[in-house]
Amino acid sequence: MTKRNWNWNYENEQWTQLPSHLKHLPLFTRHFDFTSLIFRALWGFFLKALAFRFWIRLEVRGDFHKIYQEHPRLLVISNHASHLDAVSIAAAVPFKYWLDLYISAAKDYWFANPVFTFFSKHCLGAIPIDRKDRKGEALKLCTNLLNRLDRIWLLLFPEGTRSPDGYIQDFKRGVSVFSERTNTPILFLYLEGNAALMPKGAALPRPGKLVVHIGPVHPPAPIQEIDEHYRKWVLEINPEAYGPNLSSEQPHLITEGIKDRTPDPKK
């Protein structure tokens, strides 16, 4: 199955056995739903031209275009501290690559009611992941996508859930399982400012600045190796990303957003 294979047979076994809540995924099913296309375009305009331009000042440090040309299949991983994270990454990725971008989303939140389900399906193109999955359906689906598609960027948050305090938590092994089973390399992203703009428990994001750092592409490896390399890369950007040894007078630092690291000319 390739993106350019337009002679898709909708009656084949793969299509007919897909659960209905996944048939919005256009590359997997080759089904370009008109409703999804319209709402995805409207959502893209709102996200890129309005929300992440005037309310949140989005800065992307790195080159998605070069990575897209060199790595058609990737697991994209990022720190996770906010409901802003998935949409921030979508806003940072060029719109023309969106049909190759798949976002894993917690089924119990992003598909919890008809409004969220509609948004997740038609705007995000999200893959619902059951965090209490005992049957391995999420594993089967993601490995199937990674094995079958010629182009796919699958976004995963290896911490598993949002950080309660904004500091990066230990990675769970799922990303390594997907990567090693499908021989898919891993792109490192680091979101700086996400916890300050919309911390866990906040209903709406605050205005401010958010930086998406694009890091190296790492080959498939055990989770300990991925965690170690990711940690080393992030600490070069933000030495406090994993939690500084704050004194009792300084615990507010993490909530102040992106600190200006420009050297003080008076010093």
Side-chain angles (χ1 to χ4, degrees):
M1 179 170 61
T2 69
K3 183 179 179 181
R4 281 79 192 170
N5 180 11
W6 299 98
N7 297 319
W8 180 260
N9 178 10
Y10 289 97
E11 300 304 322
N12 69 20
E13 183 175 299
Q14 185 184 45
W15 165 260
T16 56
Q17 290 185 356
L18 269 179
S20 59
H21 63 276
L22 290 177
K23 290 185 177 179
H24 63 284
L25 298 174
L27 279 182
F28 190 55
T29 63
R30 314 307 311 144
H31 174 57
F32 284 85
D33 178 77
F34 185 72
T35 302
S36 289
L37 290 176
I38 295 296
F39 278 93
R40 189 75 66 89
L42 292 173
W43 171 244
F45 175 78
F46 170 78
L47 204 64
K48 289 175 173 289
L50 300 175
F52 279 85
R53 185 175 182 182
F54 296 108
W55 188 255
I56 295 175
R57 291 172 285 114
L58 179 67
E59 180 181 346
V60 181
R61 297 182 182 175
D63 186 357
F64 274 124
H65 298 288
K66 185 173 185 294
I67 292 173
Y68 185 82
Q69 297 304 319
E70 296 178 352
H71 298 283
R73 295 171 59 255
L74 281 176
L75 284 169
V76 181
I77 67 169
S78 168
N79 58 313
H80 191 26
S82 170
H83 281 319
L84 272 179
D85 296 345
V87 294
S88 301
I89 293 170
V93 172
F95 186 73
K96 60 184 177 182
Y97 303 150
W98 271 23
L99 286 180
D100 297 319
L101 177 65
Y102 289 73
I103 297 175
S104 62
K107 185 178 180 179
D108 56 306
Y109 181 86
W110 292 101
F111 291 80
N113 58 59
V115 175
F116 277 27
T117 297
F118 186 90
F119 173 77
S120 299
K121 288 174 62 175
H122 298 298
C123 296
L124 292 181
I127 301 173
I129 300 295
D130 186 349
R131 292 186 282 192
K132 298 180 181 178
D133 181 15
R134 306 297 184 200
K135 300 179 181 179
E137 291 181 351
L139 176 64
K140 292 176 183 176
L141 173 62
C142 290
T143 53
N144 200 18
L145 288 168
L146 291 166
N147 280 325
R148 289 175 176 271
L149 296 179
D150 293 332
R151 279 201 174 275
I152 174 173
W153 282 11
L154 177 59
L155 174 60
L156 297 169
F157 295 107
E159 294 167 81
T161 188
R162 290 172 295 158
S163 167
D165 54 12
Y167 298 127
I168 301 175
Q169 311 297 303
D170 291 339
F171 285 178
K172 300 185 183 303
R173 62 187 293 268
V175 64
S176 282
V177 174
F178 292 138
S179 178
E180 292 186 306
R181 287 191 181 184
T182 63
N183 194 30
T184 305
I186 302 164
L187 172 65
F188 291 174
L189 298 182
Y190 171 57
L191 306 182
E192 188 178 18
N194 52 348
L197 295 181
M198 193 175 181
K200 199 167 186 175
L204 295 171
R206 306 164 182 158
K209 182 178 180 180
L210 190 149
V211 181
V212 177
H213 297 267
I214 303 174
V217 174
H218 197 284
I223 193 61
Q224 294 83 0
E225 181 179 330
I226 294 170
D227 197 356
E228 179 184 350
H229 286 207
Y230 183 85
R231 182 184 298 256
K232 181 179 180 182
W233 171 66
V234 168
L235 289 175
E236 292 174 354
I237 300 169
N238 180 6
E240 298 178 353
Y242 285 84
N245 294 320
L246 296 176
S247 68
S248 59
E249 291 75 28
Q250 295 177 306
H252 60 284
L253 288 178
I254 191 65
T255 63
E256 290 184 345
I258 301 170
K259 290 174 291 209
D260 185 1
R261 298 192 183 85
T262 304
D264 187 343
K266 297 178 181 178
K267 294 183 178 179

